[in-house]
Amino acid sequence: MNEDVRLTAWVRGRVQGVGFRWFTRAEALEIGGLAGFASNLGDGRVQVVAEGPRENCEKLLDWLASGDTPGRVAGVTEIWDTPRGGYEGFDIR
């Protein structure tokens, strides 16, 4: 069963000022079925929130940690939860 979930991921490394949020949105749209956002944090990390089928969220998480992203990802921390809703699509904040 591929239930809907909420993924919150914090990506650290050189991930601001390199188009990371834009490419994260593009990847989420390419995977499909995801709603949420990517946002820069004051400490240099990017926060990614994605809601949708678990398999699609796992694909996005795999991409975030793959090294095939802009900049340089030093690590990704994630938590899983139940979806809260309220997102129209996948945005850049």
Side-chain angles (χ1 to χ4, degrees):
M1 190 164 115
N2 198 17
E3 81 278 11
D4 282 353
V5 296
R6 176 186 179 97
L7 164 68
T8 303
W10 294 272
V11 186
R12 62 190 179 281
R14 189 172 159 263
V15 292
Q16 290 190 13
V18 293
F20 193 89
R21 293 175 299 155
W22 188 90
F23 279 97
T24 299
R25 179 180 183 272
E27 185 69 18
L29 294 175
E30 184 174 320
I31 291 168
L34 297 175
F37 65 88
S39 176
N40 284 339
L41 298 176
D43 63 4
R45 295 178 298 162
V46 171
Q47 179 182 22
V48 178
V49 174
E51 293 187 355
R54 176 175 287 277
E55 179 181 352
N56 297 20
C57 287
E58 288 173 350
K59 286 179 184 176
L60 182 61
L61 180 63
D62 288 346
W63 179 81
L64 290 170
S66 71
D68 193 30
T69 62
R72 182 185 46 80
V73 173
V76 180
T77 303
E78 85 271 2
I79 59 171
W80 296 89
D81 203 350
T82 55
R84 299 179 192 164
Y87 303 113
E88 296 287 324
F90 203 94
D91 297 320
I92 296 171
R93 295 186 177 172

